Amino acid sequence: MKKLFILIAFACSAVSAYAQSSSEELNRRMIERRAVEAVVWGMPAVNYDLMRQQMLTKTPGKVGQVIYWGRPLDWRNQTLTPNADALYFMTFFNTKDGPIVLELPPGDANGSFNGNIVTVWQAPLEDAGLLGADKGAGGKYLVLPPGYTGAKPDGYISLQSDTFGNYMLLRSNLKSHGDADVQAAVAYGKRMKVYSLLQAANPPPTIFSDVKDVDFDSTIRYDGSFFSNLDRIVQEEPWIARDRTMIDQLKSFGIEKGKTFNPDEATKALLSSAALEAGALLEARYNAGLPPFFSATSRWTFPAPPELIKAAQEGFTDPNHYPVDLRGMAYSYAYIGIKRLGAGQFYSISIRDKDGDAFDGGKTYRLNVPANVPVEQYWSVTAYDRQTHALIKNVSRASRSSQIPDLQKNSDGSIDIFFGPAAPAGKETNWVPTDPARKFELMARFYAPKKEFFEKKWILSDVEKMSSAIGSGARQ
């Protein structure tokens, strides 16, 4: 009985301590906690909006048009972990005034593409292209607005979205990085069309803007501006049933549909602090490592948690499962959603070398890519800034790929790729430069991977540090 009285006294003391806290202090704590969770939850939509705002404020592009990068991507493209070995075409479109048609070309001798169509929340609606729904035959994809009850005309691949805003990423495949092949890939990509279903009988010309020289920076801002982007999404988009629990959470710090978001200075400070905390939380989760892919000890991992990949491919329809934390982490370092990951493409990430150490831009590393990579299209390896997850700034190139005809091969057919601030002597064509002042990370891409790839009959080696005694050639 004495122990019970002691426990009751302790509980009363704790309650009293909280009661003595001012209501302002309790409210402050609540806002900061909720704001951290809002960053994690809202990450994919803010990621989308950052790209859209870069288009609207820095390029001639508009919603319903197409922006493209007229050469393989360089560091001026500061989107999250992009592919430097394909030509990117992006269209942001809105179905508020009715369904939108994406008319995509067939693959032929002149070109081919891999494409993905996603919602504001970057949930995959469909893959398109050689290994997408059209199987390379091209086609008309019809994106329907939320709550659409109208007719679905024949001859279209109809996709029901739960958001008005959506976007498509089309990667026009390169035969090589040579000027002629780049121009051919540009011409092929420009065969796509974007128009309203109401204009289907006589579509207007699609407007294309080349943004290859634009500093296009959609890296995540972990500051108060994050919530301005999030508010824009709340104002523009309908609430999805699974997310309605966030309505009051956001309202507590001033984000409410139909009302102006205008936080006072104290709230701004809390939101900035919460954004920083959320960024640190997401980074810690990412740094803990994703599941290994090629073997139990491989330093090459899945591109995202398999649990999240499965949930996204199913449209988050499982009523007992909604991996928001994993989704927030994934969209802090990447964008787009893939309906059939492994059919058209597969990615693998490495943030540590064979010894388990983080990649240091001041050191030199070697990756041995074994011969006969089991892909029908191409493979590549790209280096990114470890902090921003974007291409490393102020370097001459970001990647090496099987599209590069002058890559040096070893006698067994394997290829060594080198990463570091300077190329080992005589290895300039196989070298990817890094910034000696910053850490980096790697992503390997495999386009149209074969069955043998997933059966692990071919395994990508871990990246190894090279001796500092190795001679060097070109410097960045």
Side-chain angles (χ1 to χ4, degrees):
M1 183 64 72
K2 184 177 180 181
K3 288 182 178 180
L4 177 60
F5 284 132
I6 292 172
L7 287 173
I8 292 173
F10 177 79
C12 290
S13 176
V15 171
S16 177
Y18 275 110
Q20 290 174 17
S21 298
S22 68
S23 60
E24 290 83 2
E25 172 63 14
L26 292 173
N27 190 60
R28 185 195 68 77
R29 294 179 193 174
M30 178 191 70
I31 288 174
E32 201 159 24
R33 287 195 301 269
R34 289 183 169 185
V36 169
E37 293 303 322
V39 171
V40 176
W41 166 77
M43 183 60 70
V46 169
N47 179 321
Y48 155 93
D49 192 54
L50 285 166
M51 293 188 290
R52 183 179 56 156
Q53 295 308 313
Q54 287 289 293
M55 177 192 72
L56 293 173
T57 60
K58 290 187 176 180
T59 82
K62 295 180 174 58
V63 172
Q65 300 179 2
V66 179
I67 58 173
Y68 71 98
W69 282 261
R71 62 171 175 251
L73 301 184
D74 60 27
W75 62 267
R76 292 173 184 81
N77 181 304
Q78 288 285 294
T79 57
L80 302 182
T81 55
N83 183 356
D85 294 285
L87 295 191
Y88 271 24
F89 288 72
M90 293 183 76
T91 178
F92 293 83
F93 56 93
N94 195 290
T95 62
K96 198 158 191 176
D97 294 327
I100 294 292
V101 179
L102 305 172
E103 186 174 335
L104 307 177
D108 55 32
N110 296 314
S112 64
F113 76 92
N114 298 86
N116 310 100
I117 306 164
V118 300
T119 72
V120 162
W121 292 93
Q122 310 213 44
L125 293 176
E126 191 53 271
D127 303 332
L130 291 175
L131 295 166
D134 58 278
K135 305 295 185 185
K140 297 178 180 180
Y141 289 77
L142 183 65
V143 182
L144 306 172
Y148 183 76
T149 58
K152 298 178 183 178
D154 294 335
Y156 294 85
I157 301 170
S158 295
L159 308 176
Q160 179 62 64
S161 179
D162 53 14
T163 59
F164 292 118
N166 304 268
Y167 78 98
M168 177 181 182
L169 174 64
L170 181 147
R171 307 168 195 81
S172 186
N173 293 321
L174 290 167
K175 295 180 181 178
S176 78
H177 284 219
D179 290 343
D181 286 335
V182 168
Q183 292 309 310
V186 169
Y188 176 79
K190 285 187 173 182
R191 289 166 59 184
M192 71 179 291
K193 300 177 182 178
V194 183
Y195 52 87
S196 166
L197 181 62
L198 297 175
Q199 301 170 311
N202 186 26
T206 298
I207 297 173
F208 293 84
S209 297
D210 189 350
V211 300
K212 64 179 179 292
D213 294 318
V214 174
D215 289 332
F216 195 99
D217 186 351
S218 63
T219 54
I220 306 301
R221 281 74 155 159
Y222 291 106
D223 57 30
S225 69
F226 188 99
F227 298 95
S228 295
N229 291 95
L230 185 57
D231 175 67
R232 186 179 294 111
I233 297 300
V234 169
Q235 301 307 326
E236 293 178 353
E237 296 295 337
W239 278 104
I240 300 171
R242 64 175 177 264
D243 289 326
R244 291 183 68 246
T245 187
M246 293 300 297
I247 293 176
D248 266 13
Q249 304 281 315
L250 301 184
K251 183 179 178 181
S252 65
F253 52 83
I255 294 180
E256 184 177 3
K257 185 176 282 295
K259 294 188 177 181
T260 301
F261 177 53
N262 187 28
D264 58 29
E265 292 303 315
T267 303
K268 286 180 181 179
L270 287 176
L271 296 180
S272 294
S273 174
L276 282 171
E277 182 178 336
L281 173 66
L282 294 170
E283 166 59 23
R285 289 172 177 169
Y286 178 67
N287 195 56
L290 294 160
F293 177 72
F294 289 101
S295 72
T297 59
S298 176
R299 298 297 180 183
W300 290 99
T301 70
F302 279 85
E307 177 185 349
L308 172 64
I309 295 170
K310 181 176 184 294
Q313 290 173 334
E314 295 173 350
F316 300 104
T317 54
D318 184 342
N320 298 311
H321 191 58
Y322 190 21
V324 169
D325 288 351
L326 297 179
R327 185 183 70 175
M329 178 189 69
Y331 285 99
S332 72
Y333 65 81
Y335 67 97
I336 206 63
I338 299 173
K339 189 77 170 177
R340 301 176 185 84
L341 182 65
Q345 63 266 88
F346 189 84
Y347 311 131
S348 187
I349 291 173
S350 184
I351 62 173
R352 294 184 177 86
D353 65 20
K354 185 176 182 178
D355 298 327
D357 298 323
F359 293 121
D360 182 340
K363 297 178 181 178
T364 301
Y365 301 82
R366 179 178 68 93
L367 167 65
N368 179 257
V369 181
N372 304 313
V373 182
V375 294
E376 294 178 2
Q377 293 182 19
Y378 68 93
W379 61 265
S380 68
V381 183
T382 308
Y384 303 97
D385 185 289
R386 178 65 181 78
Q387 179 180 352
T388 66
H389 309 295
L391 296 174
I392 299 170
K393 288 187 175 181
N394 301 310
V395 297
S396 58
R397 60 177 176 239
S399 68
R400 296 282 81 185
S401 81
S402 58
Q403 303 155 317
I404 308 299
D406 56 350
L407 282 182
Q408 298 176 25
K409 290 188 178 181
N410 301 320
S411 58
D412 63 358
S414 68
I415 294 174
D416 289 330
I417 305 295
F418 302 90
F419 306 89
K427 301 296 183 182
E428 287 81 5
T429 58
N430 288 39
W431 167 57
V432 177
T434 60
D435 182 341
R438 299 181 69 83
K439 296 186 183 300
F440 68 95
E441 61 193 359
L442 300 173
M443 182 179 287
R445 288 177 167 84
F446 306 90
Y447 276 83
K450 298 179 182 179
K451 180 176 66 171
E452 296 86 351
F453 180 86
F454 296 102
E455 291 174 344
K456 314 294 173 62
K457 294 180 178 178
W458 179 94
I459 293 177
L460 184 61
S461 309
D462 289 334
V463 179
E464 298 182 5
K465 294 187 194 74
M466 292 182 63
S467 168
S468 57
I470 298 293
S472 63
R475 292 194 66 84
Q476 182 57 40

